[in-house]
Amino acid sequence: MMGRLTELAQEHHVLLSGSLLAVLKDDRAAAARYLAHRGHWVHADVIEGSFRGQPGLSLAELEPLAPVAKVLDIHLMVDDPVETIKNLPIIPRRLTVQLRNLASAPEILRLARALSCEIWIAVEELAPGDIDALKALDLDGVLVMLTPPGSAGHIADLDRLNSVRAANNADLSVGVDGGVNAENLPTTASAGIRYAVSGRAFFQELRQELPHVGSVTT
């Protein structure tokens, strides 16, 4: 039976991606295959250095996700994304890089483009001048974080939807990540998103369909 979050995503034409951080390590590969089978995307967070508020997937843990590479979004929250990109064990459909400063984006994009995958930039909020900077880049999209990157236990800050609206008004493809659930998805969708990452809320709905998702992290 389809969960409410999935129903709402379809109703609002939002592509739903399940964050593997919500599933215990030993269950992640199976959960990823299930998501792909059901037509969802798979979101894999690599969290290191100053971004590390919770453990992310290691580069070695990305290797078993190769069978779902066509729907895989690897989200790098690392201090040295250039070095991490050079050492990726698989090439995903989409590479999302968390940036605190857009000045470093061109070098990262040049390297990432060589992988022939989609390139998205993840930000917490957009200042007025950031829109022009993003428009000047060869980007496929912008992911707005509704919770602090790398940290667990936060609810979605819907004030950040102002950044979503600004990106959407500038004709940038935009998605959201962090605290997305059935209660706030309609609001985020109305801001102009076409992609949403959900972790615990999404996998909680899948408990009956995917038995081992009973081990959703807290």
Side-chain angles (χ1 to χ4, degrees):
M1 182 176 178
M2 188 182 299
R4 182 59 178 156
L5 183 59
T6 302
E7 289 180 344
L8 287 167
Q10 291 185 358
E11 178 183 334
H12 291 279
H13 306 290
V14 171
L15 188 62
L16 195 58
S17 185
S19 174
L20 295 182
L21 285 186
V23 182
L24 295 181
K25 179 178 177 180
D26 291 343
D27 296 330
R28 286 171 177 164
R33 291 192 298 270
Y34 180 80
L35 288 172
H37 176 70
R38 290 297 301 269
H40 301 298
W41 275 51
V42 177
H43 192 84
D45 292 299
V46 178
I47 309 172
E48 297 293 347
S50 61
F51 286 98
R52 190 177 171 90
Q54 64 178 318
L57 278 72
S58 68
L59 294 185
E61 289 177 78
L62 296 177
E63 293 186 48
L65 303 181
V68 301
K70 290 184 179 180
V71 291
L72 178 62
D73 176 12
I74 295 178
H75 184 179
L76 300 183
M77 289 178 266
V78 298
D79 293 330
D80 190 351
V82 169
E83 188 63 24
T84 304
I85 292 170
K86 290 178 179 178
N87 289 289
L88 285 175
I90 60 174
I91 298 175
R93 170 77 171 274
R94 177 181 298 169
L95 183 64
T96 301
V97 181
Q98 189 77 41
L99 291 182
R100 292 191 174 107
N101 185 347
L102 292 179
S104 61
E107 179 185 1
I108 293 169
L109 288 170
R110 282 194 296 270
L111 177 61
R113 276 295 176 203
L115 299 178
S116 299
C117 61
E118 293 183 21
I119 307 301
W120 283 48
I121 294 297
V123 298
E124 293 187 63
E125 293 185 88
L126 292 173
D130 291 340
I131 293 295
D132 290 338
L134 289 170
K135 290 282 286 184
L137 297 170
D138 185 21
L139 284 178
D140 292 297
V142 179
L143 185 69
V144 176
M145 302 297 297
L146 301 182
T147 59
S151 298
H154 296 268
I155 63 172
D157 180 358
L158 299 186
D159 287 340
R160 294 186 179 184
L161 292 180
N162 289 328
S163 293
V164 171
R165 296 183 185 95
N168 185 55
N169 290 338
D171 294 323
L172 291 166
S173 295
V174 60
V176 291
D177 183 4
V180 174
N181 55 38
E183 286 69 37
N184 60 39
L185 182 65
T187 302
T188 60
S190 68
I193 66 165
R194 289 295 175 263
Y195 178 75
V197 179
S198 181
R200 290 187 300 276
F202 190 20
F203 280 106
Q204 289 284 0
E205 288 190 354
L206 297 177
R207 281 179 183 270
Q208 293 182 341
E209 301 175 51
L210 192 59
H212 69 251
V213 176
S215 59
V216 171
T217 59
T218 58

